[in-house]
Amino acid sequence: MVTLEIKNNIAWVTLNRPEKQNALHLAMFHELDKIIKTLRKNTQIRAVIVSGAGEHFCSGLDVKSIMKKPLAIFQLLFKWLPGNPNLVQRVTLAWKTLPVPVIAVINGHCFGAGLHIAIGADYRIATANAKLAIMESKWGLCPDMGTGVLLPALIPQDKLWLLTSQGSPIDADTAKEYGLISDVHTDTKHAVQSLLDILLTRSPDALAAIKKINNRAYSANRRQVLWQETWCQIRLLLNKNTRVAMHNALAEQAKPYAERSKW
């Protein structure tokens, strides 16, 4: 469901489930995790391109498939130590550990988990028809895929609040205005190739060093942020208002929310 093809030292990682708009199930998280580890060991690759097969980048988490497997949520959220990334956080953050430029090519829907993965890239190119959203609030949950570490370096706090609290899709131009998208192009293949033409003229060691320095410059207290994301998500999964939110997301007749818990 996730493919890796290396051509001319460029790694092409593709979310390959177009019949489901590349919605992510548990196996795809494991596949992404494995691919990133494989790429980290490959000293010959010069860049990584992440894209989605078909008309959409990724519609987010395949909720139905995850809910069918009771242990799936545990596998996604489990971590040995509080400040370490779990599986869902690794497939966002680990792109930053690759010592090469990572470019996400976004078309169509880029929702939820799909957008989190794209945020992990160093550069994001979108088509004009792209729609982007962080959807967790719709389900009564909070973003917990590691973007709490990355998003503050990309967008202002008020935009971050709107994006994460409303859960509503924004178009590519708005996303670029926010700072969520690097550029918008009608021909993303040409845009990617133009960028590669420049990057491939640079020393791979220089690019690796620049990326490492840039990552350090924007890092906050990573362990605390990761732990806070996971702890809040666990609390929300046990929260009665989460069940209301999940009901309201699927039912025509909405239920009222209970009084807010003490946070």
Side-chain angles (χ1 to χ4, degrees), residues 128 130-132 155 159 162-163 168-181 184:
K131 300 289 184 183
L132 300 89
I155 64 178
K159 304 300 185 187
L162 289 174
L163 190 68
S168 302
I170 58 176
D171 59 31
D173 289 332
T174 303
K176 184 179 179 182
E177 179 187 340
Y178 278 20
L180 201 57
I181 291 297
V184 180

Side-chain angles (χ1 to χ4, degrees), residues 7 13 36 45 51 58 67 97 117 139 177 195 246 261:
K7 297 185 294 186
V13 179
I36 294 170
I45 62 168
S51 63
C58 176
M67 297 305 290
T97 69
I117 290 170
W139 301 93
E177 179 187 340
L195 185 56
M246 291 183 175
S261 302

Side-chain angles (χ1 to χ4, degrees), residues 141-154:
L141 300 172
C142 64
D144 69 330
M145 284 185 62
T147 47
V149 174
L150 302 178
L151 276 174
L154 293 177

Side-chain angles (χ1 to χ4, degrees), residues 18 27 34 48-49 72 79-80 85 94 107 121 126 137 140 142 155 165-166 178 195-196 207 221-222 225 240 250-251:
K34 183 178 179 180
V48 178
I49 314 299
K79 56 179 69 179
W80 286 105
N107 61 306
S137 65
C142 64
I155 64 178
S165 63
Q166 293 184 353
Y178 278 20
L195 185 56
L196 288 176
L207 293 180
N221 192 324
R222 171 190 172 106
V225 174
K240 55 186 176 183
L250 299 173

Side-chain angles (χ1 to χ4, degrees), residues 64-76:
K64 289 184 179 179
S65 73
I66 297 295
M67 297 305 290
K68 287 179 181 177
K69 299 178 180 179
L71 291 178
I73 295 177
F74 175 79
Q75 291 184 50
L76 291 172

Side-chain angles (χ1 to χ4, degrees), residues 15 21-24 29 32 50-51 56-62 91-92 95 104-106 109-121 124 131-136 145 147:
L15 306 177
Q21 297 187 13
N22 300 316
L24 296 161
F29 281 96
L32 279 168
V50 184
S51 63
H56 302 281
F57 181 80
C58 176
S59 60
L61 187 69
D62 186 342
V91 301
T92 295
W95 303 109
V105 182
I106 299 170
H109 294 165
C110 182
F111 296 160
L115 180 52
H116 291 299
I117 290 170
I119 289 169
R124 285 161 297 283
K131 300 289 184 183
L132 300 89
I134 293 179
M135 308 288 287
E136 282 84 350
M145 284 185 62
T147 47

